[in-house]
Amino acid sequence: MRPGAGVALGTLGVLAFSMSLPATRVAVHTLDPWFVAFGRAVGAALLAWAYLRLTGAPRPTRDQWRGLSIVALGVVVGFPLFTSLALTTQTSAHGAVVVTVLPAMTAVFAVLRAGERPPPLFWIAGAAGLALVLAFLAAGGSMRGALSFADLFLLAAVVLCGLGYAEGGRLARELGGARTICWALLLSLPVTVPVTAVAALVHPPQGGVATWAGFGYLTVVSMFLGFFAWYAGLARGGIAKVGQIQLVQPVLTLFWSAVLLGEAVTPGTLVVAGAVLACVVLIQRTRGGATPAHAPGGPSSADRPAPGGPSSAGRDGAGHAGDVRVADEVS
């Protein structure tokens, strides 16, 4: 665990993801949402294949493939699909409201899937940050109206994405951040390729420069490069703690919405951003948030290697030394 590096990488990942909703909104304006959701995964999978070939990455083990299937369900299929469907009728600013719940969902799955046990102060600071963002969005008029199908799509996206983040962060401790998303993208190809092909046949993709720029951003950054930093950050700094950095994402999303879509940004944005940042800093200063609980029958402290001693953590299932060192995660 290297919390400082984890926070830096996690912040870079959040910055990359913060433009995803506006880019999706631009892309689905003329492109079929199913093509946007699955086509970007196909494009990112081609980049992933090239990366894995160039780096000579070993194949995951059977247990790792099972975890990768959860990652694929959450971040390769679930989140892109449901956000694309939702943003055909909703604005990216509205989507930012629902995505505010994502850090809390990630923390919950970090407890359930990765065995982390954040202290009470972590949950208090996280709840305060969530309340600040929701209050800001409510005051700005982003929260209005009854629950719609678009909201249900966004909620489904958040649940699946939180699961994919937590499982990916856990796997990144073994595979590295880059290889985790790359293998998940390749694993998804039997689903993403046919759906993309059918969507393209039913609604032939066409659009202007802005449309394809949005689609290109979703493919290269949101679906590929952003996860290099994000999963490496979760692995280094703890899934629950680093995941809370996403509390600043809705405010960043509103900023990008203003720049790209012409929505107004009020001075209160800066005030709330500063308050949320304070909550994030408090979260990062809590102790024990990144400590996973040991499974029954797991190694005790007496069985752990001494500092500087040999450790099996530097080998993957194929016996390749050093493959899981976090120094390699974003290389």
Side-chain angles (χ1 to χ4, degrees):
M1 292 292 182
R2 288 194 273 177
V7 171
L9 289 166
T11 301
L12 184 60
V14 166
L15 182 61
F17 295 151
S18 65
M19 204 186 294
S20 296
L21 292 183
T24 301
R25 177 67 173 170
V26 171
V28 299
H29 183 68
T30 54
L31 296 176
D32 182 80
W34 290 82
F35 177 83
V36 172
F38 290 89
R40 65 179 176 180
V42 173
L46 296 177
L47 299 175
W49 175 83
Y51 175 86
L52 293 172
R53 286 294 300 271
L54 289 173
T55 59
R59 293 179 63 85
T61 64
R62 181 178 299 179
D63 288 340
Q64 289 168 343
W65 278 122
R66 283 195 286 266
L68 287 167
S69 66
I70 297 176
V71 175
L73 173 66
V75 304
V76 179
V77 175
F79 187 80
L81 173 61
F82 286 115
T83 54
S84 295
L85 292 173
L87 293 179
T88 58
T89 57
Q90 281 290 2
T91 65
S92 62
H94 185 92
V97 178
V98 184
V99 173
T100 304
V101 185
L102 182 54
M105 191 62 61
T106 302
V108 170
F109 282 116
V111 173
L112 297 177
R113 296 293 305 173
E116 295 188 1
R117 294 294 182 268
L121 182 59
F122 167 91
W123 297 107
I124 294 172
L130 174 63
L132 280 169
V133 175
L134 289 177
F136 166 69
L137 294 172
S142 295
M143 296 176 63
R144 59 180 182 270
L147 196 66
S148 63
F149 280 111
D151 293 315
L152 295 178
F153 287 148
L154 288 168
L155 287 173
V158 166
V159 173
L160 289 173
C161 191
L163 175 60
Y165 281 173
E167 190 68 16
R170 184 187 69 81
L171 283 174
R173 297 169 183 167
E174 306 170 7
L175 294 173
R179 282 173 287 175
T180 296
I181 187 60
C182 285
W183 285 118
L185 286 165
L186 292 183
L187 181 62
S188 305
L189 281 175
V191 174
T192 56
V193 169
V195 175
T196 301
V198 171
L201 288 173
V202 174
H203 299 286
Q206 53 185 336
V209 174
T211 297
W212 289 111
F215 182 82
Y217 185 91
L218 293 171
T219 300
V220 178
V221 180
S222 298
M223 195 82 266
F224 187 60
L225 293 178
F227 279 102
F228 280 40
W230 181 242
Y231 277 153
L234 294 177
R236 293 189 185 198
I239 298 167
K241 289 181 69 173
V242 173
Q244 298 305 298
I245 298 174
Q246 282 201 306
L247 283 170
V248 303
Q249 184 169 322
V251 179
L252 290 173
T253 297
L254 289 180
F255 171 77
W256 293 122
S257 297
V259 172
L260 298 176
L261 307 178
E263 298 179 3
V265 176
T266 64
T269 301
L270 297 178
V271 176
V272 174
V276 171
L277 181 60
C279 292
V280 172
V281 171
L282 180 59
I283 288 169
Q284 302 310 316
R285 294 179 66 86
T286 60
R287 296 182 180 273
T291 303
H294 295 290
S300 65
S301 59
D303 297 325
R304 297 173 200 154
S311 171
S312 61
R315 298 181 179 271
D316 61 18
H320 294 268
D323 278 334
V324 299
R325 290 178 300 188
V326 290
D328 296 332
E329 287 174 348
V330 293
S331 61

